[in-house]
Amino acid sequence: MRTYFESYAVLGALLLVGGGIVAGGLAANRLLRPNRPTAEKLTTYECGVDPVGENWAHSYVRYYVFSYLYVVFAVDAVFLFPWATVFSAPGYGMTTLGEMFVFLGFLAAGLLYAGKKGVLSWV
């Protein structure tokens, strides 16, 4: 029979082997890649915009809010699919239905808040 700490030894060994594989891949990449830095390659480059003027780039927070709202509603879909399977199970119908209406209420409140703040208008 195994002792309690032997199972942790197996886990530790697997973590070391996994870390070794990752470190080996990164080391092989560093050794095998070509390294020819030029002044043009070392300049800052972002999204096709040449780095001219100030160091600070102007970015709109609106794009981050759109992505945040997308993530919120994508997570909504993650919760809806398991709910549909549990809803059909006997004995869980009304409980899961009530919980889902509370969940959808929170999402609707968030969507109404975002609409009221003007976040959903594109320009």
Side-chain angles (χ1 to χ4, degrees):
M1 184 171 167
R2 290 183 146 178
T3 64
Y4 180 75
F5 291 109
E6 284 180 358
S7 58
Y8 283 113
V10 171
L11 176 68
L14 286 174
L15 287 174
L16 284 175
V17 169
I21 290 172
V22 170
L26 290 173
N29 180 26
R30 183 168 284 245
L31 291 174
L32 298 175
R33 71 178 181 193
N35 188 15
R36 294 184 211 98
T38 62
E40 187 174 340
K41 287 182 183 179
L42 296 176
T43 59
T44 305
Y45 178 82
E46 176 136 5
C47 300
V49 178
D50 290 331
V52 238
E54 301 176 9
N55 294 336
W56 295 97
H58 300 286
S59 60
Y60 295 106
V61 176
R62 178 177 295 156
Y63 301 128
Y64 296 108
V65 174
F66 279 122
S67 64
Y68 179 70
L69 286 173
Y70 170 75
V71 167
V72 165
F73 289 106
V75 169
D76 173 32
V78 169
F79 284 117
L80 283 176
F81 289 121
W83 170 77
T85 59
V86 172
F87 185 67
S88 64
Y92 289 108
M94 293 309 286
T95 304
T96 55
L97 184 64
E99 289 174 353
M100 189 48 61
F101 277 125
V102 169
F103 179 68
L104 291 175
F106 280 120
L107 286 176
L111 185 61
L112 287 173
Y113 178 76
K116 193 170 202 168
K117 287 291 188 179
V119 173
L120 301 177
S121 61
W122 183 251
V123 178

